[in-house]
Amino acid sequence: MGRTLVIGDIHGGLKALQQVFERAEVMDDDQLIFLGDYVDGWSESSQIIQFLIELSKKQKCIFIKGNHDAWAEDWLSAGTGPEVWLFNGGQSTVESYADFSHQDKKIHLDFFREMKNYHVDSRNRLFIHAGYSSMHGPEKEVYSSNYRWDRTLWETAAAMDKKLSKNSELYPKRLLLYHEIFIGHTPTLYIGSKTPVNKANIWNMDTGAAFTGALSVMDIETKECWQSDPLPLLYPDEKGRNV
């Protein structure tokens, strides 16, 4: 059995994924856990999905669904998407599917539909795109959209007093449910970091690949991390989600 590697938000950056896989020397016996937001941003969203479909045929992969993936899934299903999605990277996704046949789009739609809302491993580590609001964990979440949109979990951990003991009545109960939690969704660039950030027992793997940051991969056991070049360097003629 190889390593278990967790991968942050990709946002259409196939070049970054291929580069960081080379740097991490990913092998076929490594298990790969993707935290979502595969699409919307750089120009290769459909190519990313095709790459992941092929990748999953040769090694164990777990694909978590992000908010941008849910948008893309709706578009592939209905043929239309909301303006807010198109403005936030969706237009590049639509354009990337220009040469895809109806059957190929159906294969991708099935792939989106099969993505997981979250994953808990044998060591009680949670992998989820954004977060959850229920005090009893994501399995008791009333609003499933929180899996892909919630930022309160991360904001709670980021704002905590580092000296706060887990035995304290003030310690956030949501954080006590899991040994570790791995998330994406909220770029670490927002708090001035270009690398994955650990707050309490949460690891934030979204290092801003949609914007000016890099794509990050981490070994969940050793916490060794690998990064691609910043995405604007890999796509010099594109803006990604930078406005």
Side-chain angles (χ1 to χ4, degrees):
M1 184 64 183
R3 304 166 294 177
T4 296
L5 304 175
V6 62
I7 300 96
D9 303 33
I10 303 169
H11 285 288
L14 178 58
K15 293 177 183 178
L17 183 62
Q18 293 172 325
Q19 185 183 67
V20 76
F21 272 16
E22 290 179 4
R23 292 176 177 178
E25 298 181 350
V26 173
M27 306 294 288
D28 289 352
D29 62 348
D30 291 328
Q31 176 180 231
L32 307 176
I33 303 179
F34 295 84
L35 294 175
D37 278 5
Y38 312 97
V39 300
D40 298 354
W42 306 100
S43 61
E44 299 184 285
S45 286
S46 61
Q47 291 87 347
I48 275 284
I49 299 303
Q50 188 62 40
F51 178 87
L52 295 178
I53 289 172
E54 297 301 322
L55 182 69
S56 66
K57 295 177 181 178
K58 69 176 186 178
Q59 67 193 100
K60 186 172 181 180
C61 297
I62 294 172
F63 301 106
I64 306 298
K65 185 182 295 185
N67 57 303
H68 286 268
D69 310 314
W71 270 330
E73 178 185 341
D74 289 344
W75 171 74
L76 285 169
S77 178
T80 61
E83 286 294 323
V84 65
W85 171 60
L86 295 172
F87 180 76
N88 282 284
Q91 187 60 45
S92 67
T93 297
V94 172
E95 292 169 0
S96 76
Y97 276 98
D99 297 327
F100 274 63
S101 68
H102 175 76
Q103 181 57 33
D104 288 338
K105 288 182 179 179
K106 176 62 167 58
I107 292 171
H108 282 209
L109 176 59
D110 290 342
F111 181 72
F112 279 108
R113 287 174 171 169
E114 292 168 2
M115 292 176 185
K116 301 181 68 173
N117 287 324
Y118 59 90
H119 171 70
V120 181
D121 72 6
S122 60
R123 291 189 54 190
N124 196 35
R125 291 175 290 208
L126 171 69
F127 302 84
I128 194 166
H129 179 64
Y132 55 92
S133 62
S134 173
M135 302 297 287
H136 305 288
E139 66 274 12
K140 300 293 185 180
E141 189 63 74
V142 175
Y143 303 105
S144 61
S145 60
N146 281 343
Y147 303 140
R148 295 177 283 279
W149 285 101
D150 178 80
R151 283 194 167 97
T152 66
L153 189 75
W154 171 244
E155 290 173 345
T156 297
M160 280 175 55
D161 185 340
K162 294 180 180 179
K163 298 179 182 178
L164 189 63
S165 167
K166 288 186 177 181
N167 297 322
S168 170
E169 288 296 321
L170 298 177
Y171 199 92
K173 302 300 184 290
R174 285 186 292 169
L175 300 180
L176 294 173
L177 297 173
Y178 298 99
H179 174 59
E180 286 183 309
I181 302 171
F182 293 85
I183 66 168
H185 188 54
T186 305
T188 60
L189 298 178
Y190 292 175
I191 56 173
S193 178
K194 297 180 180 180
T195 58
V197 174
N198 173 224
K199 297 290 185 181
N201 63 337
I202 297 180
W203 281 94
N204 186 341
M205 292 296 302
D206 181 359
T207 49
F211 302 100
T212 60
L215 175 61
S216 297
V217 171
M218 178 182 286
D219 183 323
I220 67 170
E221 298 291 350
T222 66
K223 303 303 186 286
E224 185 176 4
C225 181
W226 300 266
Q227 291 189 296
S228 70
D229 292 345
L231 275 288
L233 297 181
L234 298 175
Y235 296 91
D237 299 322
E238 301 179 24
K239 291 184 178 181
R241 293 185 60 206
N242 298 294
V243 179

